[in-house]
Structures are given as structure tokens and as C-alpha cells.
Amino acid sequence: MTGLFGRGGMRTWVRGVWREWRSAELRVLATALVVAVAAVAAVGFFTDRVDRGMAQQATLLLGGDMAVVGNDPIPEEWLAEAERQGLQTARTAALPSVLFTPDDDSRLSALRAVDRDWPLLGEALVRSTADRDPEPYTRGPEPGTAWLEGALLQALELEVGDTVEVGELELEIAGEIVREPDRGSYLLDIAPRLMLAFDDLEISGLIAPGSRVRYELFVTGPATQLERYRDWIEERLEPGQRLRGLDDASPELQVAIERAERFLGLASLMAVLLAGAAIAVAAHHFAQRRADPAAVMRALGASGRRILRLYFGHVLLIALVASSVGLIIGFGAQFVLSALLGEWLAGDLPPPGARPVAAGFGVGLITAIGFALPALLRIGRVPPLRVLRRDLGLPPASVWLSGLLALLTFGALLYWQAADPQLAAWVLLGTAGALLVLGALGLLMVLALRPLRDHGGMALRFGLANLSRRGGLSAVQLVAFSIGILALLLLAIVRVDLLSAWDASIPEDAPNQFFVNIQPGQEEAFADRIEASGLERPQMDPMIRGRLIAINDQPVQPDDFDDDQTRRLVDREFNLSYAEEPPAHNRVIEGHWFHHGPTGEAADDVWSVEAGLMERFGLETGDSLTFRVGGQPVRGVIANVREVDWDSFRVNFFVIGPPALLGDQPRTYITALHVPEGMGAEQNRWLREFPAVSAIDVSAIIEQVRDVMDQATRAVEYVFLFTLLAGLTVLLAAVQATRDVRRRETALLRALGARRHHIRRALLAEFGSLGFLAGLLAAIIATAVGALLAWQVFEFDYRINPMTFVFGIVGGTLGIALAGWLGTRSVLRQAPLGVLRGPE
Amino acid sequence: MDASSSSVLEARDLQQRIAGPSGVLDILRGISLSVQAGETVAILGASGSGKSTLLGLLAGLDAPSAGEVRLLGQTISELDEDGRAALRAGRVGFVFQSFQLLPALTAFENVLLPLELNPEHEGRSQVEISAWARDALKRVGLSEREAHYPHQLSGGEQQRVAIARAIVDRPAVLFADEPTGNLDGQTGGRIIDLLFSLARDPDHEDRRTALILVTHDADLAQQCDRILHIQDGMLA
């Protein structure tokens, strides 16, 4: 140790650290840090891969990393430029077209022509004969052939091998499309798909001036080249052409990915939090054990700052080494995870990037410093008089300093991990509140348990006494255990609630068919027909097309807005509707429904607008919107704001007016319903009887979205495993930190005649009680934080789940009793001779 | 009467060796002794002479490398750790140099501990054994402090709690390791009087405690019936 005070240089210093390393408490600190960093790194590496994998899923639904969509053909020059940049491209063109059968039957189809390079990403699932399973294809149909969606085959009673006529072409049906990888971006196509080769479209005679063709260019490749190409394209876009990125892939998918990312973020935050708790426990123990040598050093003339520097340096070096080891373990662990997940994640996950390595070191060092510093500061302030009076301990930890530093550290880590200030702020708030409440409630509960000490015999008394002894280590343990359980409960609750929110958003009986273009006057007859087939009578919603021309009587143009999506909304026609009552699955969150005004008056010239649209256009209730409907302006004032669940797959409208405002406008009707499997033929009969009506099959889209959500759920579950592991290490770190004290006390009890069962019962009573309290506290806090998160971040209603308390208390009691028992049972082998060695 | 028949403690040719960095170290070398009920014995020796090691072996806190210890009629080496604990429970008391109170327990609860660990008292009510514990605290003058935790007591008070804990169950053998080492002269004197009163209590002729004191204080040793000098691991 003297060398450390002299000018011995790095080598002596490292030797000092090595000597420290051989002491158990620093190894505990290092182990806690290793596990903490391993957990964070594994989560980091893994979520990095999952994130990339999810981005790939998004590119799958978009059809590429980037797409250009427009009404003009994609110039050859654009393809050449992409090739020059080393990017891959595919072109498609889509237009509605009527197809005819040899029997002169006809049907409107959403025709899509794809080139040789389609699909750029993913595979099409195509059934080439009726009795075989669908097979994956990485190309479109061959020239001269077509693939048709099942609905089209059934409607026209066609089979694979038959022929259909499209324009001047006669095409052989080569397969039934079961899944089209980038179908997500065609959610609003109103007719079933007919797919043909790109070259065939050009000779079909279907493309004429005025044809409503949607040309698309899909691009994929390395990010830098993509960025460069995007810039290049942006300068050349014609009016009516637009660039689409992953953000536009599909609103439903976007919601899913955003939620999953938040969730993965949350899971890794909890690992970080537990890491902090483990470090704090270990550092506390480290400081306690350094009181004597530090007092000697101070007595010999070392300044408090010098002592702090010494131990801080040691901890820092240990943190660096531990972080490296943690990173290696974490890196290995994520490979195991990925292997486990292989069967669920479509295709191979991309390899992890280097970001988690830097992050691992960052987290390791920041966590070590932030959570260990308050304890280290105490060593520097040990009274030198301790060398003479052993009853003089370390100065009490500054609650404010420890709290503030831990809060700052955790807040910084939260912000970095969550990449979402709102989420970080709420979790930080929840955690800080939890710590305060945990501390206060914990003390109260421990006090409340005291009367039990007089009734339960030696084991219970000793167990409970260990709980209520000195505020220090027991309090740290209680808080640490509570946080461990809290994290698990919180994640379990949020997970379950999130999953149920997902499930609720796409229920089993979610509408899988949209019927559009139902003519006025036929809506009742069509509903009758569906009801006659044994299904519930569907609600028919009127649909009126109108273009937004003025806000507050000021004309609006697409160019008035910066945001692409807003521009598109202004550019295209809105689907308006009218209704007496608010739609059952919408919620009026501001203002009053049309006839529910403050004075009960009915107003004719008012709108009900969806909340997201209000935000997008910066609207407020009382603003006026004017739409051009059938050549005439229709003006109304925004009376109320609706919250719409877009995941519901029901018919939803951005803007709804009262019947008095829109009831006389030209309209069609739309309805959505769940057509059970096996009723396809019946559905075709409806369509034959109502030839104008078109059906949109959304079940394939639902299936795709559900798949992505399933994968996200799996990923989140596996990330939980790491959080669980991190929680266990906190328990073990805390247990290990008390091991020396337990050894001495066990030796004394043994000397006084205690047998193994006495010690065992005392340990179980102590840890069981601790687990009970920690579980109860955690359940209370988890419920509160879960409600807060649900309400503020995930935006769904939260119901208190009594199982939280059952799992918290039973799990806490049994789990911590078991973990504590496993961690401390070695003291049972403690020979009583240790008692003669005196207290440390 | 044969000497060994009334002896509560007997050691024969005790040896203790430990492996150190510079080879095997003989801590104790062939120690034999016998202690009768109610006898007071001082083991006197310099620091490092092996006093505390001998005390540990005699009390059955450790097993010797060679030789045999018979405590209260039982051969220590024939018992496992639990058997030795059961043998000590309620019948062997300790006063340690560093008090060794359990910090989580109050003074009263610390004193109650040996009573609760003694299987002979299993049928007794908590009220009854609690009364004994309070009585022991009263005898050391700490009735008012029974609800205090060790850290709330002075060094002398802590040692008195340790004495109360040692005497509460009237053990057959009481081992004391430098019992006055941390105390001022006056307090130390009171403690010694208390310990000796157990061995010489005329009210309990049938159950007098044998007192084995380990000390380097020659004056204290002089008060004992017998003094054993230990030097280099051997009785001089």
C-alpha cells in the first residue's frame, strides 16, 4: 500500500489494484458490474440486431429501403443511376383493370405488373396447384402468365391453368397469390390482385393517356449510397411523384415497431437500473470494508482526497476490466439468444454493430461511477480517530448526494437507452418515486413487523431483527430486492397489458373484408343479403369524397405544408362520412358530439375530426374546414375531436359531419366485416348479386402485421430473461455483501449452541420476510408505475391486476427466501471457532 | 472419587498444527488437563502462546489435529458440528474479549438467546424464560437497558450484557477470553466478581460452574484455584 502513496508509478498502482482484487468485496463489485454490463451488452447487441431485423421487416412491407411512387413511368435514367451507385432496383406498375374469363364473366381487379427483379426483399407465397401448399417465389409471374388472388379465382370460378383476358392479352393462370410481400403498402387497393409480368403490361394496350397507373420504383442497398441516391432523386421528382421511406411503410406496422422498440428500450432500462442497484450494494460493502485501512492512512497523514483518488482509481480500473469481461459475455449471450430466436425471426438477423461495444463501456463506467461514488466519498471522510476508537464508523452517506447522483446517472442512462425523452422522464420519475416510497414504506413495514419478534421464537426473532437492524445495509437490500421484483413485475405487467392491447387491436374477429362501392339505395339490400347468410348485420357507412380546399376560409394547397404526409392528404381526396351518433369504436376526447352541445342544440355545419389529423394540421375546435364535394364547397366548424383506434381494422374516417351537412351529397357505402373461413364461396355469391360492390381482403394484411407483432413479442420476452438475470445478480450481490457479517454471527450462534436448523430457520425467516416486504412494496409501486406508463406513454386504459400482488408477494417471499438461502447456506458450514477472531 | 468422574472438562495430549507459508506450524504441543465442576482455572500466557487456540479446542469450537477433549462427559471428536453445538447449548457459556453481541438484537434478546437454544427449555413458556433473562440483566445492573441495542451501549455495558448472556442459564462450564481486556479497572473488577460468584455460589452447590479464564493478567489469574502457564504451545 505504501507504494501507492509514493512515486511507484503505474506498476505499483496496478499491483495495489491486484491486491484489492483479492479481497472479496471488490470481487463482488466487479462481478456485479460484469453481470450488469453483460446484461446491458447482451440486450444492447441483441436489440441492435432485432432493431435491424425489424427495419428489414419494415423494408419488406415497403418493398425496399426506399420507394418512388408516382403517376409517371420511372425513367430509365433513374435505373441506370441506381445501378451506377451499386443499388438494386425493381419496378412495378399498378392500375385497376377489368379482367374477363373465357365465359365472359368479368371482375374488377387491382392489376400489378412486376419486373424481373421483383420482389427486392422477401418472398411471394404462391400456390401453383389447388391441392399443394403455397411455395415461396423470389420472382413475379413469367411473361404470358398471371397470378391471381384467391378471392378473384373464387369469384370467377377459375382455377390454376385457366386463362383470363386483360386488355389485349390472354394470360394463363400460373398460381394463386397467398401472400404478396409488399402488400402492406397497398392497403387501400379496392380490388383483389392480378399480377403479371412488367413486359406484358406494356403490350397489353391497357396503358393509354388518362390511365390511372401507379408506377413504383423500389430501391435497396447500403445506407450511404441510398442516401446519396435519395438526394439525387429528390432533385428530379416530378409533381405527382413522391419518395417513400420506411416511415411510410404501413401505419399499422409503424405502430407495432414503435411499440416494440419502446418496449425493448424499457426492458434494457430495467437491466441498467438493476445494474445500478447491484453496484450500489457492492460499493456500500466495499466502503464499509475500507474504513479501517482508510482510517490508518488518514492517521498517517493521507488527505481524504488522496484516499478517494486511490479507491476511485481502483474502482475505475476494475470497472474497465469488468466491462470488458461483461461485453464478451454479453456478446456470447446474444448469439445464444439469436440462435434461440432463429425459428421465430424471419430470415437471419443481421450481425450486431459496434455501437453496443462503446455503449457497454459507457454503461459500465457510468454505472460504476454514478452508483459507487457516494460510497467511495465516505471512505475519504473516515475519521482518523477510528484507529483508536473502532466505534467511529464512516460518516453517514449523504442521502441527497447519493440520490441525486444515482438519479442523474440513471436519468442519463435512461435517456441514452430509451432514445425517447418522454419515456425516459416517466421511467425516471417512476423510479425516483419508487425509491422514495420504497425507503419510507419499507421502514414503516419493518417497524410494523417488530411486534412479531416477541412471538415467533429465536429463529423468527433473529430473522426479523436482522431486518430492522441499522438503517444501512438492510435498507439497501430491501430497496434492491424491491427494485428487482419491481422491474420484473413492471415488465410483466406492461408486457401483458401491451400484448393484450395488441391483441385487442387485432381481435380474432377483426374485420377481414372491406366492401366498398356499395351503391346508394343498395346498402340495405346488401346488409340484408349478408344477414341472410347467417352473419351479423353489418353497419353501412356512407362515404363521400371531398378535397380539402380551405382552413378557416383560407385556401390550402399541398405546397403550404412541409410535411410529406400532410401534403399528400391535401393532394388527394378525403373520405368523408356522416353519422347521427359517434362511431362506437371512436372516442370523443374534446368538444361535444353534434347534438350534444352544451345547450343541447343541434348544429348542421359542424365537423368531427380525428385527433391525429387535428395535430397534423394544427387545428383547434372552432376552426372551420371547407371541402369541395361534387364541385360544391361544404363548410363546417370543428365541433369535436375523436380518438380513432387505427389498429382496429374497422371503417374509420378522418372527418365526419352531421347528416344535415352531407346527407344530400353523392355517396357510396362502405362496410367492414369478419367473414369466417369457409364462407368465401358465399361471399362470391354476394358479389355476383351486387356487381358494383368490391371486396378488399385484409386478412392477409392482418396476418402479416400479426406476424411482425409476434416476432416483436418473442424478442421482448427474451430480453426479459436478461432483466431477470440482472435482478438475480442484485439479490446475490446483496446476499454476498452480508456474508461476512453472517459468518461472524453464525459462528457466535453456533458457539452458543445453535444447531443447523436454527440457523436455517433464521435465514429463511429473514429472507422470507424481506421478500414478503419487498414483494408487497414492489407490487404497489409496479401497479402505480404501470398505470402511469400505460396512461402516459402507451396510451391505453390500465386495470389493476390483483395477480401483481399475488406474484409480487408469493414470488418475492419464495424467490428471495430461496435465493437468500442459496447465497448464504455456506454459513451453515461456518466453524464456531471464527467467533474467537473477534469482529472485523 | 476418581478425579475424572467429577471433571467437566478433560484434555489429553492435545495438538494443533496449521500449515503456514513457512511450513507446518505447531500451535499446541501435547497439552493435557482436567477441570472439575466449580473449579476456577486461569490459562496464562503471552500473546501468540496459543491460549485462544486452546480455549477454542476445549470449548469444542474446533477439532484438534491430535489428542482428545472430553467435555461434560462427551468426547468432542466423536460428535459432528451439530452434536457439539447441542452439547454446548445452555451448558457452556462464553465471555469474549470483544463482547460478540448480536447487533440486531436488543440487550434482552441477546441474553434470551442461550435459553432459547437450550433444548431442555423447549417446554417452558416464553414468560418464564424471559423472566430469567431479565433477572440476569438485573444481576449485571442493566435492567434499565434491556431494550437497548448493542450500539446504544457503552463498552462496559456491552460486556455486562455478554456476562449476563453467559450466566443466564447457569452453564456447567464458562469460558472467558480476556474478559476484562477492554474494560477499566473498576468495571473489570465487578465483572470478575460476578464470574467468580457463579463458581462459588453456595446456593447452587449441586450445579457450580467451572470457570476457565484465558488471560495475560497475572493478578486476575491469582484469584483462580489453579493457574496453567502456556508457553510455545505447551503447559509450563
Side-chain angles (χ1 to χ4, degrees):
Chain A
M1 200 70 80
T2 50
L4 291 166
F5 285 90
R7 300 173 193 280
M10 185 73 170
R11 193 196 291 175
T12 325
W13 187 68
V14 169
R15 206 156 52 216
V17 177
W18 176 242
R19 264 200 296 269
E20 290 276 23
W21 171 249
R22 290 189 300 192
S23 64
E25 60 278 2
L26 204 57
R27 279 210 304 272
V28 171
L29 189 145
T31 309
L33 204 57
V34 165
V35 177
V37 174
V40 171
V43 168
F45 282 124
F46 184 64
T47 51
D48 195 49
R49 296 185 71 185
V50 170
D51 277 357
R52 287 157 183 248
M54 280 182 176
Q56 280 186 353
Q57 289 287 314
T59 58
L60 215 76
L61 278 190
L62 178 67
D65 293 311
M66 188 178 102
V68 181
V69 187
N71 298 324
D72 296 313
I74 304 296
E76 289 294 333
E77 182 201 358
W78 292 16
L79 297 175
E81 176 63 17
E83 196 176 346
R84 207 179 61 76
Q85 302 257 20
L87 300 166
Q88 289 170 284
T89 56
R91 268 184 307 173
T92 70
L95 73 160
S97 180
V98 177
L99 70 89
F100 295 89
T101 67
D103 304 335
D104 263 353
D105 207 347
S106 67
R107 182 70 45 165
L108 183 73
S109 73
L111 189 143
R112 191 181 186 201
V114 300
D115 74 2
R116 290 168 198 286
D117 298 313
W118 182 93
L120 267 189
L121 299 165
E123 292 157 341
L125 269 185
V126 177
R127 197 193 310 272
S128 49
T129 45
D131 52 349
R132 281 176 61 184
D133 286 338
E135 291 165 30
Y137 281 80
T138 52
R139 58 163 180 81
E142 298 287 348
T145 70
W147 291 345
L148 276 66
E149 253 174 21
L152 209 49
L153 292 174
Q154 283 154 18
L156 294 169
E157 293 179 351
L158 291 170
E159 284 179 5
V160 175
D162 292 345
T163 54
V164 285
E165 286 171 34
V166 183
E168 293 164 11
L169 285 175
E170 194 177 286
L171 300 170
E172 185 194 335
I173 302 172
E176 177 196 336
I177 306 177
V178 176
R179 194 173 70 193
E180 190 177 331
D182 48 357
R183 178 67 156 144
S185 58
Y186 287 88
L187 204 59
L188 295 173
D189 275 355
I190 56 164
R193 169 76 71 233
L194 181 149
M195 190 175 278
L196 70 164
F198 200 82
D199 295 343
D200 281 351
L201 180 65
E202 286 175 356
I203 55 169
S204 65
L206 288 171
I207 301 176
S211 303
R212 288 170 56 202
V213 185
R214 177 166 106 149
Y215 290 96
E216 285 188 304
L217 169 68
F218 299 101
V219 188
T220 182
T224 16
Q225 280 94 317
L226 271 174
E227 204 53 48
R228 208 177 303 147
Y229 188 64
R230 175 183 278 267
D231 293 343
W232 188 87
I233 285 278
E234 267 175 351
E235 291 170 10
R236 289 163 176 79
L237 285 180
E238 297 287 331
Q241 276 183 325
R242 59 180 188 267
L243 260 173
R244 293 177 39 164
L246 297 181
D247 293 346
D248 317 315
S250 153
E252 293 82 6
L253 184 74
Q254 239 181 51
V255 170
I257 288 180
E258 268 171 28
R259 280 185 181 167
E261 280 179 351
R262 270 187 181 171
F263 214 53
L264 292 173
L266 190 66
S268 42
L269 294 184
M270 289 304 140
V272 176
L273 176 61
L274 296 187
I279 301 306
V281 170
H284 176 85
H285 186 48
F286 177 73
Q288 293 287 87
R289 294 295 300 269
R290 289 299 167 277
D292 281 338
V296 172
M297 287 185 237
R298 290 207 74 180
L300 294 177
S303 68
R305 187 182 291 179
R306 183 162 225 167
I307 290 170
L308 173 67
R309 210 167 52 217
L310 170 76
Y311 287 119
F312 189 69
H314 288 181
V315 168
L316 219 55
L317 185 69
I318 293 287
L320 267 177
V321 175
S323 300
S324 312
V325 177
L327 271 169
I328 293 167
I329 295 173
F331 189 73
Q334 63 84 25
F335 275 114
V336 177
L337 266 183
S338 310
L340 278 173
L341 267 175
E343 56 182 293
W344 289 298
L345 290 173
D348 290 333
L349 276 179
R355 199 178 57 90
V357 175
F361 277 114
V363 167
L365 291 179
I366 290 172
T367 308
I369 295 167
F371 287 89
L373 191 60
L376 297 180
L377 285 174
R378 293 174 63 208
I379 314 182
R381 289 166 49 223
V382 66
L385 194 59
R386 183 179 161 91
V387 294
L388 298 176
R389 284 185 52 195
R390 285 187 50 84
D391 55 316
L392 289 177
L394 294 173
S398 161
V399 175
W400 288 112
L401 177 72
S402 308
L404 192 70
L405 204 61
L407 210 66
L408 280 176
T409 306
F410 186 54
L413 293 175
L414 277 175
Y415 179 70
W416 163 77
Q417 281 274 5
D420 177 347
Q422 199 191 12
L423 182 63
W426 278 111
V427 176
L428 186 63
L429 206 66
T431 311
L435 286 176
L436 284 176
V437 178
L438 276 178
L441 281 183
L443 280 175
L444 282 176
M445 285 176 161
V446 166
L447 287 177
L449 282 182
R450 271 189 79 161
L452 286 179
R453 280 169 68 162
D454 299 331
H455 302 288
M458 177 261 166
L460 185 65
R461 175 178 312 118
F462 189 64
L464 294 183
N466 267 339
L467 269 191
S468 63
R469 77 197 300 177
R470 313 177 297 263
L473 201 53
S474 296
V476 173
Q477 280 187 80
L478 178 64
V479 171
F481 292 158
S482 301
I483 291 171
I485 302 169
L486 169 66
L488 300 181
L489 284 180
L490 191 58
L491 290 172
I493 289 166
V494 176
R495 184 189 71 129
V496 168
D497 288 347
L498 191 65
L499 286 184
S500 47
W502 277 352
D503 277 351
S505 70
I506 313 173
E508 280 301 322
D509 61 349
N512 56 3
Q513 299 287 338
F514 275 62
F515 295 93
V516 296
N517 212 25
I518 304 164
Q519 298 303 305
Q522 289 195 332
E523 72 273 14
E524 289 303 318
F526 189 64
D528 288 345
R529 181 65 188 83
I530 288 169
E531 204 176 11
S533 299
L535 296 180
E536 201 176 321
R537 185 180 183 84
Q539 183 187 326
M540 296 288 163
D541 293 304
M543 192 159 91
I544 296 130
R545 297 182 74 80
R547 188 180 296 275
L548 179 66
I549 55 170
I551 296 174
N552 289 330
D553 303 315
Q554 299 296 311
V556 290
Q557 299 286 335
D559 291 344
D560 298 344
F561 300 93
D562 294 333
D563 179 66
D564 277 354
Q565 270 185 305
T566 315
R567 284 182 182 198
R568 282 203 295 278
L569 278 169
V570 178
D571 197 25
R572 70 169 208 217
E573 288 191 315
F574 275 75
N575 290 319
L576 310 171
S577 188
Y578 60 85
E580 292 277 0
E581 298 292 333
H585 47 279
N586 287 187
R587 200 158 61 94
V588 176
I589 55 170
E590 196 187 325
H592 300 271
W593 193 248
F594 305 139
H595 53 283
H596 298 150
T599 53
E601 81 281 14
D604 290 347
D605 47 355
V606 286
W607 300 118
S608 169
V609 181
E610 187 262 344
L613 195 77
M614 294 288 289
E615 202 177 321
R616 182 170 290 282
F617 283 97
L619 298 171
E620 288 175 9
T621 49
D623 287 347
S624 76
L625 297 178
T626 310
F627 291 90
R628 185 182 301 283
V629 181
Q632 296 296 316
V634 178
R635 182 184 181 280
V637 172
I638 300 170
N640 64 68
V641 181
R642 275 172 301 122
E643 201 171 62
V644 172
D645 180 8
W646 291 106
D647 290 349
S648 69
F649 286 90
R650 291 172 190 278
V651 176
N652 277 309
F653 295 96
F654 279 126
V655 181
I656 299 176
L661 188 65
L662 291 171
D664 295 334
Q665 300 295 347
R667 63 186 180 274
T668 58
Y669 285 85
I670 177 171
T671 191
L673 70 147
H674 182 79
V675 179
E677 238 176 288
M679 281 194 69
E682 181 67 9
Q683 179 182 322
N684 284 336
R685 281 194 282 277
W686 307 337
L687 296 177
R688 276 177 193 278
E689 290 166 34
F690 297 87
V693 176
S694 290
I696 307 167
D697 182 358
V698 291
S699 52
I701 299 159
I702 294 177
E703 198 52 46
Q704 253 174 349
V705 173
R706 205 193 278 273
D707 273 359
V708 172
M709 288 180 176
D710 261 1
Q711 286 172 22
T713 317
R714 297 280 179 195
V716 167
E717 276 177 10
Y718 277 91
V719 173
F720 284 162
L721 283 183
F722 276 83
T723 312
L724 184 73
L725 201 67
L728 280 176
T729 60
V730 178
L731 303 192
L732 291 177
V735 158
Q736 200 156 6
T738 60
R739 193 172 282 170
D740 290 346
V741 178
R742 291 179 195 290
R743 285 221 167 99
R744 282 200 305 278
E745 293 180 354
T746 303
L748 176 65
L749 287 171
R750 300 285 271 164
L752 295 178
R755 273 141 285 160
R756 276 170 174 262
H757 67 87
H758 289 119
I759 312 284
R760 189 183 305 130
R761 276 190 220 148
L763 287 175
L764 289 176
E766 178 186 344
F767 285 107
S769 309
L770 191 64
F772 175 86
L773 290 184
L776 179 62
L777 280 177
I780 293 169
I781 310 282
T783 303
V785 176
L788 207 64
L789 280 174
W791 169 47
Q792 279 295 326
V793 181
F794 297 110
E795 292 173 6
F796 55 76
D797 290 333
Y798 182 77
R799 282 196 202 136
I800 291 179
N801 187 350
M803 292 314 279
T804 308
F805 286 85
V806 175
F807 282 126
I809 292 171
V810 175
T813 308
L814 295 181
I816 291 177
L818 182 70
W821 163 245
L822 289 175
T824 52
R825 70 194 158 137
S826 65
V827 303
L828 286 183
R829 294 192 294 272
Q830 176 66 36
L833 189 68
V835 78
L836 290 177
R837 296 192 188 115
E840 296 284 325
Chain B
M1 192 165 66
D2 174 18
S4 63
S5 65
S6 66
S7 67
V8 286
L9 178 65
E10 220 182 327
R12 205 172 292 155
D13 198 22
L14 277 189
Q15 296 189 35
Q16 188 71 323
R17 285 194 186 112
I18 57 163
S22 51
V24 174
L25 199 65
D26 285 312
I27 309 283
L28 297 177
R29 294 188 275 190
I31 288 185
S32 298
L33 59 88
S34 172
V35 180
Q36 311 300 311
E39 191 180 10
T40 56
V41 178
I43 299 174
L44 200 63
S47 287
S49 56
K51 300 189 300 283
S52 293
T53 306
L54 177 60
L55 184 81
L57 293 182
L58 294 178
L61 300 181
D62 200 6
S65 308
E68 189 183 278
V69 176
R70 280 179 71 80
L71 180 63
L72 302 168
Q74 291 265 3
T75 303
I76 293 285
S77 55
E78 288 172 358
L79 300 171
D80 63 5
E81 197 69 75
D82 250 13
R84 295 202 289 263
L87 177 64
R88 286 191 297 269
R91 300 161 74 189
V92 175
F94 289 96
V95 178
F96 304 101
Q97 183 177 4
S98 48
F99 323 143
Q100 300 279 20
L101 298 178
L102 286 164
L105 302 182
T106 62
F108 167 72
E109 289 170 339
N110 263 289
V111 176
L112 196 60
L113 207 55
L115 297 170
E116 289 184 317
L117 290 172
N118 187 350
E120 285 177 21
H121 302 321
E122 266 168 17
R124 295 184 200 276
S125 73
Q126 193 71 24
V127 176
E128 192 179 359
I129 61 169
S130 294
W132 292 354
R134 290 200 172 88
D135 183 54
L137 275 172
K138 194 174 162 193
R139 288 171 65 193
V140 298
L142 284 177
S143 292
E144 308 297 315
R145 308 285 243 165
E146 69 165 60
H148 286 63
Y149 287 91
H151 73 272
Q152 297 168 320
L153 300 171
S154 71
E157 287 170 330
Q158 288 185 42
Q159 186 65 313
R160 276 144 72 193
V161 175
I163 303 281
R165 183 178 66 190
I167 64 174
V168 67
D169 211 10
R170 294 201 70 81
V173 187
L174 177 56
F175 292 97
D177 184 14
E178 302 282 10
T180 59
N182 287 321
L183 303 176
D184 62 74
Q186 203 182 351
T187 314
R190 280 217 309 272
I191 296 295
I192 294 303
D193 290 346
L194 199 63
L195 291 179
F196 279 85
S197 72
L198 280 181
R200 295 160 185 172
D201 188 353
D203 298 338
H204 294 87
E205 278 291 339
D206 57 327
R207 197 176 170 186
R208 292 197 312 181
T209 303
L211 177 64
I212 296 156
L213 274 176
V214 166
T215 183
H216 60 262
D217 179 347
D219 290 342
L220 175 58
Q222 288 301 329
Q223 300 179 43
C224 294
D225 299 335
R226 195 149 48 107
I227 300 175
L228 302 172
H229 288 275
I230 184 165
Q231 202 172 357
D232 293 333
M234 290 187 294
L235 290 179

